[in-house]
Amino acid sequence: MVRLQTFDLRKEYPGQVALRGLNLSLSEGEVFCLLGQNGAGKTTTLNLLLGFVAPTAGRAEINGVPVRLHAPSTHRFVAYIPEVVLLYGELTGLENLRYFSRLAGGRHHPAELAALLLAAGLPEAAHARPVAGYSKGMRQKVGIAIALAKRADVLLMDEPTSGLDPRATQEFTALVQDLGGQGKTVLMATHDLFNAVQVGTQVGIMRAGELVAVRDTARISAPELQELYLQTI
């Protein structure tokens, strides 16, 4: 089933074209890593899919629902994990998960919430600790638990591995691969070419608002992707 689609999606600002006719079609279970330099259009793409900004032309759909016309409806299907997951530092990981899941309309037993945190890779010993003492990787895991509690079909991620140490990056990669295995659709904007090959089913390279190359990760190595990236940016 196709979960996310864009049709000639375009975004212009005064004196600047941020996105030039983007066409994407991602099905359930796909993990698509979007590569490109700053200003290439990655974050603009995410903002359009989230309904934060309106397109100049074209359209985006989540589960067949047009984002521009029905943004509140599409939000039911989508979870967003930014570079830094914003949580309430004075609350524990469990309390943050309970709060954000209720905002999304969910009602979960404490044992269910604890199971979601464990599924997202957060150790049980951290569940009752204030988030102010969490590392970035731990915050990301709470963000994934929030997405799981929401039962989101599509996860949009903006530089989720930026600033993570190698071990935390490896753990996050395994979590995202598991999400894909569960049928979730993931679109991840990233600068990390080597992680993109590991975590993604496909990678795309953006330049000046255009998607200039798409490759199946099963058919390209990290050095080959790096060479392609350098040739296209």
Side-chain angles (χ1 to χ4, degrees):
M1 176 180 178
V2 175
R3 294 292 190 189
L4 181 158
Q5 283 184 292
T6 66
F7 303 87
D8 295 320
L9 195 61
R10 184 177 181 88
K11 181 61 181 177
E12 297 179 12
Y13 295 101
Q16 178 192 8
V17 179
L19 199 64
R20 304 170 186 268
L22 178 67
N23 290 286
L24 273 180
S25 180
L26 304 183
S27 299
E28 57 185 67
E30 285 195 66
V31 179
F32 192 99
C33 293
L34 203 54
L35 302 165
Q37 295 182 307
N38 290 336
K42 304 188 304 297
T43 298
T44 297
T45 299
L46 297 181
N47 286 337
L48 287 164
L49 292 167
L50 289 163
F52 292 166
V53 296
T56 305
R59 72 184 191 277
E61 295 182 356
I62 305 291
N63 280 351
V65 180
V67 174
R68 185 176 186 179
L69 298 177
H70 306 287
S73 296
T74 61
H75 288 168
R76 294 184 292 115
F77 309 128
V78 176
Y80 175 52
I81 299 178
E83 182 174 352
V84 178
V85 176
L86 298 178
L87 302 169
Y88 289 97
E90 68 274 17
L91 300 181
T92 67
L94 192 64
E95 289 167 340
N96 268 281
L97 176 57
R98 180 186 300 116
Y99 174 73
F100 284 107
S101 65
R102 285 183 175 177
L103 279 184
R107 290 293 183 271
H108 300 276
H109 188 275
E112 291 180 288
L113 296 174
L116 289 170
L117 288 172
L118 287 173
L122 190 72
E124 186 174 2
H127 293 188
R129 284 167 40 196
V131 164
Y134 279 20
S135 66
K136 180 184 175 182
M138 295 168 72
R139 286 172 174 264
Q140 298 285 32
K141 291 171 182 177
V142 176
I144 288 180
I146 292 170
L148 293 174
K150 188 179 181 181
R151 297 184 175 88
D153 296 320
V154 176
L155 282 78
L156 303 177
M157 303 182 178
D158 196 0
E159 302 290 350
T161 59
S162 175
L164 295 184
D165 62 38
R167 180 170 190 149
T169 298
Q170 185 179 43
E171 291 175 350
F172 188 82
T173 296
L175 285 171
V176 174
Q177 289 173 327
D178 187 55
L179 290 170
Q182 295 174 35
K184 306 295 185 183
T185 300
V186 180
L187 177 61
M188 179 192 302
T190 181
H191 282 94
D192 191 339
L193 279 72
F194 293 94
N195 182 249
V197 172
Q198 289 185 320
V199 71
T201 55
Q202 290 191 88
V203 292
I205 300 174
M206 296 196 77
R207 180 185 64 202
E210 292 186 80
L211 186 62
V212 295
V214 176
R215 295 291 187 274
D216 187 326
T217 57
R219 300 179 180 178
I220 191 168
S221 66
E224 288 170 339
L225 178 60
Q226 183 179 39
E227 181 62 27
L228 176 64
Y229 183 82
L230 294 173
Q231 290 173 358
T232 55
I233 61 172

